[in-house]
Amino acid sequence: SFYPHSPTIRVWLKRDSGQYWPSIYHTMPSSSSCMSFNPETRRLSVGMDTGSICEFVLSEDYNKMTPARTYQAHQGRVTVVLFVLEMEWLLSTGQDKNFTWHCSESGQQLGTYRTSAWVSGLQFDVETRHAFVGDQSGQVTILKLEQDSCSLVTTFKGHTGNVTALCWDPVTRVLFSGSSDHSIIMWDIGGRKGTAIELQGHNDKVQGLCYASHTRQLISCSSDGSIVIWNMDVTRQETPEWLDSDSCQKCEQPFFWNFKQMWDSKKIGLRQHHCRKCGQAVCGKCSSKRSTIPLMGFEFEVRVCDSCHESISDEDRAPTATFHDSKHSIVYMHYEPTTGNLLTSGTDKVIKVWKSTRSVCCV
């Protein structure tokens, strides 16, 4: 596992005792901000606060790291770096609001794209050459990359906060986005033409997303230390759009801005709410109940109208996620599919390796 310690890069190896111990380290000219490691080539790409990307090649025994190349990629802090072996491309984003891609063989910049806000999430689909870019405005942009140019495909806007993490599954062709608004959105790009399904299971900013394709589980973590493992091998339902109405769609009493109906009926206007299951605009009296709706992504209890509450069975309330406490404020997460291990690092400067995503246990 690799972890940046300002201003050094350290390599940790698992010893025969089962414990991780530092192997080698390299002193960096400035603080490291992000990194990408490719096990096949043992190429380590490290983004810097200065805007440059330093590349290293590690020896087979991981006891030596050799500087290979430095890319002058950005004018500000590098936020995400991603090496794509199949294309021999190095993708990166920075606080200068530029998305760039370099040829990793020649070191030359191939192209750049100006984003509307600085990017905090980046994923790439090799088959279609689509780059998924999540930024601080809460928007996800899809770009089609060519050798030296790119074009805008579409944009998705579903978060009320900035995008903090992206995860792409090329098999099911589903993109997951996490946000500071505590939510995760599942964008079904392949099969259902951009259908958006919300996952509500965090009480703080989502910091990381990983997808375990062999078990069809989404793993998410947040800055309050919680790790949520979502079962994605279920048929999930899209949350309904909230309907507009000047009066409660159940009892027909006016909402407080509907002055005409208030005057005509001689009734005081009520506050508007929305049922999370049907999306209808309802008053507090007609939506006094709460319920979980796991197949809609609501693992916590949310407001539902009285009629929807009656229609939700105990089977409908069966959880589709499990919750775990990492006991530190997570800032970074990485999942290794070959071992099933999950790595988290926190503001406490502690790295934790979790043995299994089904039975989470720290070593």
Side-chain angles (χ1 to χ4, degrees):
S1 61
F2 305 86
Y3 184 73
H5 290 261
S6 176
T8 64
I9 298 292
R10 298 178 185 265
V11 179
W12 300 73
L13 293 179
K14 189 175 183 179
R15 309 299 182 179
D16 293 338
S17 63
Q19 297 294 314
Y20 286 88
W21 290 91
S23 170
I24 52 170
Y25 72 92
H26 185 89
T27 303
M28 305 298 288
S30 68
S31 297
S32 307
S33 54
C34 56
M35 60 174 55
S36 173
F37 179 69
N38 181 261
E40 295 179 51
T41 60
R42 298 186 305 282
R43 187 192 309 239
L44 179 65
S45 307
V46 183
M48 312 292 292
D49 279 350
T50 58
S52 62
I53 299 171
C54 298
E55 201 168 74
F56 302 89
V57 176
L58 277 77
S59 61
E60 289 188 21
D61 60 3
Y62 293 94
N63 284 310
K64 182 181 181 182
M65 56 191 302
T66 305
R69 179 180 282 117
T70 298
Y71 303 84
Q72 302 302 325
H74 297 277
Q75 298 299 314
R77 182 176 183 261
V78 182
T79 56
V80 188
V81 61
L82 184 64
F83 173 65
V84 182
L85 175 61
E86 294 86 349
M87 315 299 301
E88 290 289 349
W89 285 351
L90 185 70
L91 314 180
S92 63
T93 60
Q95 285 189 336
D96 59 0
K97 298 182 182 179
N98 282 333
F99 163 64
T100 66
W101 64 105
H102 288 76
C103 173
S104 60
E105 291 181 310
S106 66
Q108 293 186 344
Q109 180 174 302
L110 299 174
T112 185
Y113 180 86
R114 183 76 172 173
T115 57
S116 58
W118 70 268
V119 174
S120 44
L122 176 64
Q123 292 282 277
F124 184 75
D125 181 56
V126 174
E127 183 182 344
T128 62
R129 297 188 182 184
H130 284 154
F132 305 96
V133 179
D135 63 39
Q136 291 292 295
S137 73
Q139 181 173 277
V140 177
T141 302
I142 302 181
L143 303 171
K144 170 77 172 182
L145 267 61
E146 303 297 346
Q147 186 64 24
D148 55 2
S149 65
C150 76
S151 56
L152 175 65
V153 177
T154 188
T155 57
F156 293 145
K157 187 67 185 286
H159 291 291
T160 57
N162 54 293
V163 175
T164 52
L166 288 180
C167 179
W168 168 247
D169 177 37
V171 178
T172 58
R173 307 201 66 74
V174 167
L175 179 73
F176 300 96
S177 61
S179 172
S180 60
D181 64 12
H182 309 175
S183 74
I184 300 165
I185 297 180
M186 169 186 169
W187 307 92
D188 194 342
I189 295 171
R192 299 172 68 180
K193 308 299 181 184
T195 298
I197 295 175
E198 290 185 51
L199 301 175
Q200 300 283 355
H202 286 285
N203 290 313
D204 211 331
K205 179 171 85 170
V206 178
Q207 289 284 51
L209 294 170
C210 299
Y211 185 70
S213 57
H214 62 293
T215 57
R216 291 182 61 83
Q217 290 175 310
L218 176 70
I219 309 165
S220 60
C221 68
S222 54
S223 54
D224 62 0
S226 67
I227 299 173
V228 182
I229 301 174
W230 306 82
N231 176 17
M232 302 309 297
D233 197 19
V234 294
T235 303
R236 293 190 175 273
Q237 304 167 19
E238 191 172 13
T239 49
E241 290 189 16
W242 285 3
L243 302 178
D244 293 324
S245 179
D246 290 330
S247 58
C248 176
Q249 293 180 298
K250 295 296 183 182
C251 69
E252 299 184 349
Q253 287 208 57
F255 293 132
F256 64 82
W257 62 81
N258 189 353
F259 298 112
K260 184 180 184 306
Q261 189 178 344
M262 286 166 55
W263 177 264
D264 292 344
S265 63
K266 301 296 188 291
K267 293 179 180 178
I268 298 175
L270 304 175
R271 182 182 175 188
Q272 184 192 55
H273 300 284
H274 283 92
C275 172
R276 299 307 191 270
K277 190 174 190 299
C278 67
Q280 286 190 317
V282 290
C283 68
K285 185 178 179 182
C286 295
S287 59
S288 60
K289 305 288 178 35
R290 301 288 186 275
S291 176
T292 60
I293 320 174
L295 291 180
M296 279 188 171
F298 296 114
E299 293 289 336
F300 302 148
E301 289 191 342
V302 290
R303 179 186 295 272
V304 292
C305 66
D306 292 353
S307 56
C308 280
H309 188 270
E310 292 177 7
S311 71
I312 302 173
S313 66
D314 290 340
E315 185 179 346
D316 293 333
R317 293 187 178 92
T320 63
T322 58
F323 298 82
H324 311 271
D325 184 7
S326 69
K327 301 192 185 301
H328 67 164
S329 178
I330 298 173
V331 295
Y332 175 78
M333 179 180 73
H334 175 74
Y335 174 69
E336 179 51 55
T338 55
T339 62
N341 285 349
L342 182 72
L343 179 146
T344 61
S345 60
T347 55
D348 53 6
K349 299 182 181 180
V350 173
I351 306 167
K352 295 185 179 184
V353 179
W354 307 83
K355 285 182 178 180
S356 170
T357 58
R358 289 194 179 275
S359 177
V360 179
C361 179
C362 182
V363 296

